[in-house]
Amino acid sequence: MLLICRKSFYLALFTKYFMINYPKIILKHGKEAPVQRFHPWVFSGAIFKVEGNPKEGDIVEVLSGSRDYLATGHYLKGNIAVKLFSFQKATIDFTFWKAKINAAYELRKNLGLTDIPSNNAYRLVFTEGDSLPGLIIDFYNGAAVIQCQSPGMNKHKPEFIQALQEIYGDKLTAIYDKSIDNQQSAVGSHHPASSIQHPVTITETGHKFLVDIEKGQKTGFFLDQRSNRMFAQYYARNRKVLNAFCYSGAFSVYALKGGATMVHSVDSSKKAIEWTKENLTLNDIPENSHEEIIADIKNFLPQTSEMYDMIILDPPAFAKHHNVSHNALQAYIHINAEAMKKLNPGGILFTFSCSQSVSREMFRSAIQTAAINTGKDVKIIHQLSQGPDHPVSIFHPEGEYLKGLILVI
């Protein structure tokens, strides 16, 4: 009993004098419930008082109106004032960050996403889904790409790099930093400087793709669509396919490997079309089975005389903020209506929204409106989301950003 009391005394003494005293965010009385339900965002309107003069990106502790500890996170300017990464009081050091990243790695390992030759690319860290809001890490066949999307995560980048080196060991050939700086532009650098090869060749479900980490969108490749591309491969057999917003042609490769008779890949970017051609060649696709077209799909669909048996619509986000979601819905209605008009009877439409501010219900309503406007009989055969390497915390439904439907028209 005496020994236990002494241990408790010294633990309390250590906590009092040696744990870092972070600035405090005091919530208004009655505003604690979302944090107590483990939602990782604290909105500015819930804050009663800020103590310790934190700067943007600083670590802060969030306390209830009665000053009970609730969570720890990064302080931000704007409507979301704190993004929380821990609901237990802790010293935030290298050991803390490594444990978080290692937990993310172990999840992917348990899901069968790591150490597989036929699938050597995956998202290692997915922001709130891995309790690391503001941090993305993708793994491309030995090359890790870090995107720190907040000032707070940017401060801990050296610790993330060290953690990756210790977790992966010799499996890690290079680290590329593609974070966002204060001017919202990408900052590219290598760790170690000379070891990364551009582009990186990855394998996804046995198909090969070139990933231009430096010049490509996001981290270079849309890993979130892997399982959905497998659906495209399954349904493409004996069909003429249009891959709209094709980017680097991943859906095109899957469709042709699935037995599509012809695939038209359309994108407004000349570079995207070049990447598409390279990936089709890399996968030994016969030249007479595909055609690449540089065009704005919003103009291409109403102007083309071609009819298709399957169309894939995977546009960029039409809305990044809630105040423009109405315009986004109108865009989804228009483009899906045009696609429905270009499908032969019994045709299949893959349609997606990656706009976080557009809910699944809103997106489905937009597709319903497109069906009404075109007078088409539309049936849903699958409802899709992002892959398992993009997990959604049950406490943060906003993390389910990718919504998809497979429709028979």
Side-chain angles (χ1 to χ4, degrees):
M1 177 66 74
L2 182 61
L3 179 62
I4 294 173
C5 289
R6 283 181 176 175
K7 285 177 68 177
S8 299
F9 170 77
Y10 287 120
L11 180 61
L13 196 65
F14 176 84
T15 301
K16 179 177 180 180
Y17 291 104
F18 292 96
M19 286 192 75
I20 299 173
N21 186 25
Y22 298 112
K24 304 292 188 288
I25 306 296
I26 316 300
L27 300 185
K28 296 174 182 176
H29 285 286
K31 295 294 184 179
E32 301 92 349
V35 181
Q36 291 170 333
R37 292 196 296 266
F38 307 114
H39 194 281
W41 297 347
V42 175
F43 291 93
S44 57
I47 295 175
F48 168 68
K49 186 180 180 181
V50 177
E51 296 178 353
N53 193 29
K55 308 244 178 342
E56 187 169 33
D58 283 355
I59 295 172
V60 295
E61 289 185 347
V62 177
L63 309 182
S64 69
S66 54
R67 301 190 68 88
D68 294 319
Y69 172 84
L70 295 174
T72 303
H74 284 131
Y75 188 64
L76 297 167
K77 294 178 181 177
N79 188 36
I80 300 175
V82 187
K83 287 195 172 182
L84 305 171
F85 50 74
S86 179
F87 294 89
Q88 295 181 339
K89 201 173 181 69
T91 297
I92 312 304
D93 54 13
F94 170 73
T95 301
F96 175 88
W97 295 118
K98 182 183 176 183
K100 285 275 191 181
I101 294 174
N102 191 63
Y105 174 79
E106 288 297 324
L107 173 63
R108 275 76 181 167
K109 183 178 178 180
N110 291 337
L111 293 173
L113 295 172
T114 67
D115 304 316
I116 301 176
S118 61
N119 274 301
N120 57 21
Y122 53 89
R123 176 147 293 181
L124 171 64
V125 173
F126 177 52
T127 61
E128 285 88 353
D130 289 297
S131 301
L132 287 164
L135 179 63
I136 285 174
I137 304 177
D138 285 342
F139 184 84
Y140 293 115
N141 191 20
V145 184
I146 297 177
Q147 265 197 343
C148 296
Q149 300 178 326
S150 70
M153 287 301 179
N154 219 31
K155 290 183 177 183
H156 303 292
K157 201 183 305 171
E159 293 150 283
F160 302 151
I161 290 169
Q162 184 182 345
L164 288 171
Q165 291 169 333
E166 293 187 9
I167 291 168
Y168 281 100
D170 294 341
K171 296 176 185 176
L172 187 67
T173 58
I175 300 174
Y176 191 82
D177 175 18
K178 205 171 180 183
S179 299
I180 306 299
D181 66 10
N182 293 331
Q183 285 74 45
Q184 295 298 297
S185 59
V187 179
S189 59
H190 304 127
H191 306 274
S194 60
S195 59
I196 197 165
Q197 301 294 318
H198 285 294
V200 175
T201 301
I202 66 167
T203 304
E204 184 184 82
T205 63
H207 309 319
K208 295 186 182 299
F209 297 98
L210 298 172
V211 179
D212 193 327
I213 292 171
E214 189 169 3
K215 297 178 182 177
Q217 294 181 33
K218 306 293 184 179
T219 66
F221 194 74
F222 293 110
L223 295 164
D224 53 359
Q225 289 279 25
R226 172 171 42 206
S227 55
N228 301 330
R229 286 190 277 264
M230 294 173 72
F231 276 108
Q233 180 167 325
Y234 177 81
Y235 284 111
R237 184 173 179 80
N238 295 326
R239 295 180 184 274
K240 180 180 177 181
V241 178
L242 169 64
N243 181 13
F245 307 98
C246 69
Y247 184 48
S248 57
F251 271 109
S252 301
V253 169
Y254 274 78
L256 286 159
K257 287 293 186 178
T261 57
M262 170 62 69
V263 172
H264 290 170
S265 303
V266 178
D267 202 288
S268 60
S269 166
K270 180 181 178 182
K271 191 65 180 174
I273 294 299
E274 290 174 1
W275 287 330
T276 297
K277 290 179 179 179
E278 289 173 353
N279 284 325
L280 291 165
T281 300
L282 187 64
N283 287 277
D284 300 319
I285 304 294
E287 289 188 8
N288 62 358
S289 64
H290 59 88
E291 181 180 349
E292 294 73 49
I293 302 163
I294 302 173
D296 186 334
I297 198 67
K298 292 189 290 292
N299 297 326
F300 176 84
L301 280 171
Q303 293 173 5
T304 184
S305 59
E306 299 278 358
M307 295 295 291
Y308 298 94
D309 305 306
M310 187 167 109
I311 295 178
I312 300 159
L313 287 180
D314 185 21
F318 286 155
K320 295 185 178 181
H321 305 285
H322 287 282
N323 58 356
V324 293
S325 59
H326 174 75
N327 294 338
L329 289 174
Q330 294 304 311
Y332 286 123
I333 292 168
H334 174 74
I335 199 167
N336 279 277
E338 292 298 328
M340 289 176 187
K341 294 174 186 176
K342 297 301 176 182
L343 279 166
N344 291 317
I348 294 177
L349 176 61
F350 283 64
T351 183
F352 297 95
S353 167
C354 62
S355 300
Q356 190 180 65
S357 60
V358 174
S359 69
R360 184 172 290 275
E361 292 73 21
M362 293 164 67
F363 180 61
R364 183 166 169 167
S365 177
I367 305 307
Q368 181 185 52
T369 302
I372 293 169
N373 291 350
T374 55
K376 300 290 185 180
D377 181 17
V378 177
K379 292 177 172 59
I380 299 172
I381 56 174
H382 295 284
Q383 300 191 56
L384 309 176
S385 187
Q386 63 245 40
D389 53 349
H390 293 63
V392 180
S393 168
I394 199 72
F395 308 112
H396 182 249
E398 297 91 339
E400 189 183 7
Y401 68 94
L402 183 61
K403 286 78 61 176
L405 296 169
I406 304 180
L407 311 169
V408 174
I409 312 299

